[in-house]
Amino acid sequence: MTENRKTLVFVGAAAVLTALAFLLAPSTPTPDEFADQGTPFFPDFTDPNTATTLEVVEFDEATGSTKPFKVTFENGRWVIPSHHNYPADAASQLAQTAAGVIEIARDDFRSDNAADYEALGVVDPLGEGAALSGRGKRVTIRGRNGEVLADLIFGKKVEGRDGFRYVRHPEEKRVYAAKVNIDISTRFQDWIDPDLLQLTRSDIERIEVNDYSINERTRSVDRRGQVVLTKGEDGGWKMAGLPSGQTVDSATVAAMLATLDSLKIVGVRPKPEGLSASLRQDEQQVSMSQADLLSLQGKGFYLSRDGQLMSNEGELLVHTRDGVAYTLRFGEVVYGSGLEVTAGTEDDQSPEPQGNAQNQYLFVTAEFDPKRLPEPKRPSDTSFVGKSDSLLSDADRQQRSLYNAWRAWQGNAERGRKKAQELNTRFADWYYVISHDSFRKLHKSRGDLVAAGKD
């Protein structure tokens, strides 16, 4: 056998042995930590519209306490239990949040060692005896009958990877770096319709400032004056009884209008049921129990001897062109921050003053003022109805013009009454808290509203 032939035989044998070794060798297993990479956390949760409750728990390291927040569908409406079941604007927002959770997958395995949880920020905020630092935000989504659809702990942002966070299932050890496209807010204002008055500044035609205060010890009323502002045809504002040489401070009025247009709800407190029921009936004189009176007084509102509701910081009346008249009564200062402002403390008493963290109680009512929409002359003859234009006499045309104007007024008045009733029903259940800045821009005296003589 020649040397060349021997070489070919050896090469062929080596190739056969290599092939056999490849075929017979056991397969290399994928490490456990990579087996589920790329899979969704909750494969059975596919329809975001099945979500009916969102629970979020954060941990406040400064106070060493948890901060829970919840929005849920209850008795046919979305509510926020932590805020006295205040109505939530949550249907679409919760569906978007749920859709974002559905998309979260186990992208990159990072650790299954509990000793790493604090550094990654995925310590369960509900865990007992855990470190105060490193606790994450736990988000639980439930469906009907309280079924858990998703439950995750969101930790710190992943450095160098935009949009990624460390994520862990509370019942699992493994931590993943996952793409998270949602920002779950626990701010009360982000889950409600914060536009308190539901008006636009262009609709406002008249503003009345009742400038007074109440001595809480003697219950005497210090009446400092009344100011009436009306909008002219040119859009400018005029003040009744303004002396010659003085003008309305247009900048101050503009700030008032802008604030009314954008007045935001900072917090809410429930009114006593008896008081709310009376207000929903749109009564001018409401019947009140002793408990109702104590609730009012605790917020800075008082009932006068003649049965009129008054407030310790005066009131503002706002009339709109659709006939809706708002009354804004300004009450006590609300101190504090966070939940103690947005929902109140257990005894519903404001904490001791702390710096400049001030807000203000507001009592709002609405009614329809027919004087703002005077009824036009009604037609005396409607025989023109059904006639073609070619058969109409001059008298018919005049009557038709009167009829069209009257019907337009009738429609506007009906819409105004309906809007006022809807607003009053909404306002009836709640004391509101507004920012001190908004209060400052709305709470004006006559001197504030006159331009002449100002520095």
Side-chain angles (χ1 to χ4, degrees):
M1 182 179 294
T2 65
E3 290 300 319
N4 288 338
R5 192 163 186 177
K6 286 182 180 180
T7 300
L8 290 174
V9 170
F10 290 144
V11 170
V16 170
L17 290 173
T18 300
L20 287 173
F22 178 79
L23 292 172
L24 297 177
S27 59
T28 302
T30 302
D32 288 345
E33 57 264 31
F34 300 113
D36 59 0
Q37 186 167 328
T39 63
F41 274 93
F42 306 98
D44 295 332
F45 181 28
T46 58
D47 184 359
N49 294 307
T50 59
T52 59
T53 297
L54 172 71
E55 299 173 2
V56 184
V57 178
E58 293 182 295
F59 189 79
D60 187 343
E61 294 184 9
T63 62
S65 61
T66 56
K67 296 168 55 180
F69 181 84
K70 180 178 178 181
V71 58
T72 188
F73 191 72
E74 186 176 290
N75 298 325
R77 63 175 187 167
W78 293 95
V79 297
I80 303 175
S82 61
H83 289 70
H84 319 286
N85 280 347
Y86 188 81
D89 184 23
S92 61
Q93 189 170 350
L94 181 53
Q96 292 172 3
T97 300
V101 170
I102 289 172
E103 293 176 355
I104 299 174
R106 306 171 190 267
D107 290 329
D108 294 327
F109 170 78
R110 289 304 173 94
S111 175
D112 58 4
N113 187 347
D116 296 330
Y117 292 174
E118 184 176 350
L120 300 178
V122 293
V123 178
D124 189 348
L126 293 174
E128 295 182 1
L132 294 182
S133 61
R135 298 201 184 196
K137 177 189 290 187
R138 183 166 177 175
V139 177
T140 306
I141 297 177
R142 300 180 185 272
R144 292 180 177 85
N145 302 319
E147 174 193 7
V148 175
L149 302 176
D151 194 7
L152 288 173
I153 300 172
F154 293 88
K156 297 179 180 179
K157 294 181 178 180
V158 180
E159 292 186 11
R161 301 193 67 181
D162 188 38
F164 277 74
R165 283 187 176 275
Y166 296 111
V167 179
R168 181 173 72 88
H169 190 296
E171 297 179 0
E172 298 177 359
K173 293 183 178 181
R174 295 176 180 173
V175 182
Y176 296 84
K179 182 73 172 178
V180 178
N181 292 316
I182 52 174
D183 181 15
I184 302 173
S185 172
T186 58
R187 293 180 68 250
F188 169 64
Q189 294 88 340
D190 291 339
W191 286 92
I192 65 171
D193 179 358
D195 186 0
L196 177 54
L197 301 181
Q198 308 277 305
L199 57 72
T200 58
R201 60 185 298 171
S202 60
D203 291 335
I204 300 173
E205 294 186 333
R206 178 184 173 96
I207 297 174
E208 299 176 30
V209 178
N210 289 334
D211 184 17
Y212 66 85
S213 62
I214 296 177
N215 186 310
E216 297 179 29
R217 185 176 60 84
T218 64
R219 300 295 169 83
S220 60
V221 180
D222 178 16
R223 297 185 182 275
R224 293 184 288 265
Q226 183 181 49
V227 179
V228 177
L229 297 167
T230 55
K231 184 165 67 173
E233 294 183 359
D234 60 355
W237 286 83
K238 302 175 182 178
M239 181 186 297
L242 191 64
S244 176
Q246 294 185 337
T247 60
V248 173
D249 189 323
S250 58
T252 300
V253 174
M256 291 180 71
L257 295 171
T259 303
L260 290 167
D261 189 334
S262 61
L263 189 59
K264 296 292 186 294
I265 299 171
V266 172
V268 292
R269 309 286 189 276
K271 291 173 183 167
E273 180 53 38
L275 175 58
S276 295
S278 295
L279 293 168
R280 281 194 292 270
Q281 297 301 315
D282 197 20
E283 298 176 1
Q284 294 299 315
Q285 297 282 338
V286 298
S287 57
M288 297 189 195
S289 66
Q290 186 64 28
D292 296 341
L293 292 173
L294 290 175
S295 172
L296 284 167
Q297 292 170 16
K299 309 295 186 299
F301 307 106
Y302 301 87
L303 202 63
S304 67
R305 292 177 181 175
D306 59 357
Q308 297 298 311
L309 182 62
M310 305 186 73
S311 49
N312 61 3
E313 291 296 340
E315 59 192 42
L316 189 68
L317 280 70
V318 180
H319 299 260
T320 62
R321 62 183 178 184
D322 55 8
V324 177
Y326 299 81
T327 301
L328 284 66
R329 297 178 175 90
F330 304 110
E332 281 286 356
V333 174
V334 182
Y335 293 96
S337 61
L339 195 62
E340 62 190 2
V341 170
T342 62
T345 55
E346 187 174 338
D347 60 2
D348 205 29
Q349 296 296 318
S350 296
E352 292 298 318
Q354 297 290 331
N356 295 321
Q358 299 177 17
N359 296 278
Q360 208 85 19
Y361 279 119
L362 181 69
F363 191 117
V364 190
T365 56
E367 62 180 327
F368 179 72
D369 182 4
K371 296 191 296 295
R372 307 307 304 168
L373 290 176
E375 182 178 1
K377 182 179 179 181
R378 299 180 67 167
S380 58
D381 180 9
T382 58
S383 60
F384 63 86
V385 176
K387 290 183 181 181
S388 63
D389 285 354
S390 61
L391 298 178
L392 292 177
S393 65
D394 289 343
D396 287 336
R397 296 179 193 281
Q398 184 179 22
Q399 291 298 310
R400 185 175 67 175
S401 178
L402 292 174
Y403 177 78
N404 290 339
W406 186 83
R407 286 298 300 271
W409 165 83
Q410 188 180 47
N412 291 335
E414 180 59 31
R415 283 189 292 273
R417 288 191 184 91
K418 182 179 179 181
K419 181 177 180 180
Q421 183 60 48
E422 290 174 349
L423 287 168
N424 208 46
T425 299
R426 178 190 179 204
F427 299 151
D429 292 336
W430 306 100
Y431 300 108
Y432 295 98
V433 179
I434 62 172
S435 71
H436 183 70
D437 182 61
S438 294
F439 167 73
R440 182 177 55 81
K441 290 176 180 176
L442 296 175
H443 187 251
K444 298 298 180 183
S445 65
R446 184 183 186 88
D448 297 325
L449 296 165
V450 177
K454 287 198 168 190
D455 294 336

